[in-house]
Amino acid sequence: MPAEYILRFDDICPTMNWGMWEKIEKILIRQEIDPILAIVPDNQDEELKVDEAHLGFWDTVRSWQDRGWTIGLHGYQHRYVTDQAGLIGIKHRSEFAGLAEHEQESKLTKALTLFRKEQVTPKVWVAPGHSFDSVTLRVLKKLKIDVVSDGYYLSPNTDPLGITHVPQQLWRFRRMPLGLWTVCYHHNRWTRDDVDRFAADVQRYKQQITSLRRILAAYHKRERNLFDAVFSHTCLSALQARGMIRKSSVTSSTGSV
């Protein structure tokens, strides 16, 4: 089978870059793409305060949900409080990894309470900074979030807790021979050139773009195996050795980790 791609947009919150988002949203609707939208329930990160707060934010989120787009739980306040890289090992700071279980559960419970208050149901966990640990997974399972968008795998797989991990390995489109690849975008600092490049990429790869809903149906409960573990370790080690992860977080104009 040819490679398939999922699109994910992180740092969705009331104070994001709404002018740029309007352009992106029109492309997604025109091309009939169902993305993952990773929403910060109670943003307290100054770096994500780009525009004035959108007063109708949750109305807009509900409209995305009604459209069938996947709502992601992007942490709680997007505030990094530890220097732990967690299980993925990309960024050595975290909102969750390294904290005691009761602290993590308190944050996640507050986050989900905010979603419920707004009649929004998150379907997938998206960790700020890609940083979470085994405690985070245990709490997520307890709170009935059983899909994670992260990890350097070739295919989705389900861990011993029963949590399905849908890989996220790219920050821009690349032509891949096979596998499932989630392309993660951070649009707050985009320019007109960035959105034009995005539109061209979406047009070029349109036939290979899928949705989380379709992928979960296709890979339902596929258990993680030795190949998944070896591929993940090899891929991440190679990227770290080449400095690719650091490069993607510092120099890419269309995304950051």
Side-chain angles (χ1 to χ4, degrees):
M1 291 178 61
E4 293 184 289
Y5 301 86
I6 293 175
L7 303 190
R8 192 182 96 191
F9 287 86
D10 285 8
D11 302 340
I12 304 296
C13 66
T15 54
M16 69 182 188
N17 185 338
W18 286 96
M20 187 57 64
W21 176 255
E22 289 175 2
K23 298 178 176 63
I24 294 167
E25 186 171 26
K26 288 178 181 177
I27 295 168
L28 296 172
I29 293 172
R30 184 171 65 248
Q31 298 289 4
E32 300 182 322
I33 292 169
D34 297 341
I36 297 172
L37 302 181
I39 295 171
V40 184
D42 179 30
N43 177 53
Q44 299 298 322
D45 185 344
E46 292 297 322
E47 292 186 9
L48 304 187
K49 295 180 180 180
V50 179
D51 277 352
E52 292 296 320
H54 177 29
L55 298 181
F57 175 70
W58 288 104
D59 288 332
T60 301
V61 174
R62 284 188 288 272
S63 74
W64 294 332
Q65 181 174 255
D66 292 344
R67 186 180 287 279
W69 292 0
T70 298
I71 304 301
L73 172 60
H74 195 32
Y76 172 40
Q77 296 179 322
H78 210 276
R79 295 177 61 214
Y80 298 114
V81 296
T82 79
D83 59 1
Q84 300 298 305
L87 296 173
I88 305 299
I90 292 178
K91 181 179 288 189
H92 288 270
R93 56 178 181 159
S94 181
E95 185 177 17
F96 291 90
L99 294 180
E101 184 164 344
H102 74 274
E103 293 179 276
Q104 297 202 39
E105 184 169 348
S106 175
K107 286 187 175 187
L108 289 169
T109 299
K110 290 175 183 177
L112 290 171
T113 297
L114 287 171
F115 274 106
R116 282 195 295 270
K117 176 185 174 183
E118 298 296 342
Q119 299 180 326
V120 174
T121 304
K123 300 294 187 182
V124 58
W125 164 251
V126 179
H130 304 263
S131 184
F132 59 94
D133 58 17
S134 58
V135 174
T136 319
L137 294 177
R138 191 160 62 243
V139 173
L140 287 169
K141 183 66 176 180
K142 179 179 179 180
L143 297 176
K144 303 188 184 309
I145 300 291
D146 60 1
V147 180
V148 168
S149 172
D150 222 327
Y152 282 87
Y153 304 105
L154 195 61
S155 303
N157 59 84
T158 300
D159 68 21
L161 286 176
I163 294 176
T164 300
H165 297 250
V166 179
Q168 192 280 296
Q169 323 93 322
L170 299 177
W171 287 267
R172 64 180 177 86
F173 273 101
R174 296 175 182 271
R175 188 163 297 283
M176 310 303 289
L178 74 166
L180 176 73
W181 305 84
T182 299
V183 187
C184 176
Y185 291 108
H186 301 72
H187 73 282
N188 275 332
R189 307 300 176 188
W190 275 20
T191 65
R192 182 72 238 188
D193 286 345
D194 293 324
V195 78
D196 288 345
R197 186 180 305 112
F198 173 71
D201 284 342
V202 167
Q203 181 62 39
R204 183 178 305 114
Y205 289 91
K206 185 179 182 338
Q207 299 306 314
Q208 294 170 258
I209 297 174
T210 185
S211 68
L212 180 64
R213 182 177 60 255
R214 292 195 290 269
I215 287 300
L216 291 177
Y219 287 89
H220 181 65
K221 298 301 181 185
R222 174 187 171 271
E223 293 184 2
R224 181 175 299 172
N225 57 35
L226 180 60
F227 174 79
D228 295 315
V230 171
F231 183 90
S232 175
H233 177 76
T234 302
C235 187
L236 189 56
S237 296
L239 289 171
Q240 289 172 333
R242 297 176 189 174
M244 293 291 287
I245 291 175
R246 176 178 174 80
K247 182 177 179 181
S248 70
S249 65
V250 174
T251 65
S252 173
S253 63
T254 56
S256 62
V257 292

